[in-house]
Amino acid sequence: MSLDPKSGRPLYMQLADLIAAKIETGEYAPDRVIPTPGRLADEYGIAVLTGRRAMRELRERGLIYTVPGKGSYVTPASEGHTSLPEG
């Protein structure tokens, strides 16, 4: 899946859908960091602000959470498994 700049669908939505698909397939695992907006901009040839808006969209969908100063992570699955370290 790639981004289509000629589409009527905003690029940030296309990118959010692409990342959501990667989360669904397990390419981006629960409680693991995902690429920064800057890396997404480099990878997909988009503006950093587009990457940031896609991240906001993913947070609104409940698919990721952001830890200030650390990055954005895939929201852990709620199927009775906890991703907190033991001890």
Side-chain angles (χ1 to χ4, degrees), residues 45-69:
I46 57 172
V48 173
L49 290 176
T50 302
R52 287 183 188 157
R53 181 61 184 96
M55 299 293 233
R56 186 167 78 193
E57 176 68 23
L58 291 165
R59 276 193 301 275
E60 289 172 1
R61 294 183 194 182
L63 295 175
I64 67 169
Y65 64 97
T66 300
V67 178

Side-chain angles (χ1 to χ4, degrees), residues 8 16 18 30 39 44 51 55 57 62 68-70 82:
L18 191 145
R39 278 194 68 193
Y44 293 101
M55 299 293 233
E57 176 68 23
K70 292 202 127 222
T82 175

Side-chain angles (χ1 to χ4, degrees), residues 15-86:
L15 181 58
D17 290 344
L18 191 145
I19 295 170
K22 289 183 177 191
I23 291 170
E24 188 173 314
T25 64
E27 187 173 337
Y28 293 148
D31 215 26
R32 297 290 180 226
V33 71
I34 63 172
T36 64
R39 278 194 68 193
L40 292 170
D42 290 343
E43 186 175 342
Y44 293 101
I46 57 172
V48 173
L49 290 176
T50 302
R52 287 183 188 157
R53 181 61 184 96
M55 299 293 233
R56 186 167 78 193
E57 176 68 23
L58 291 165
R59 276 193 301 275
E60 289 172 1
R61 294 183 194 182
L63 295 175
I64 67 169
Y65 64 97
T66 300
V67 178
K70 292 202 127 222
S72 295
Y73 298 81
V74 176
T75 302
S78 59
E79 299 171 358
H81 117 295
T82 175
S83 57
L84 296 175
E86 296 185 24

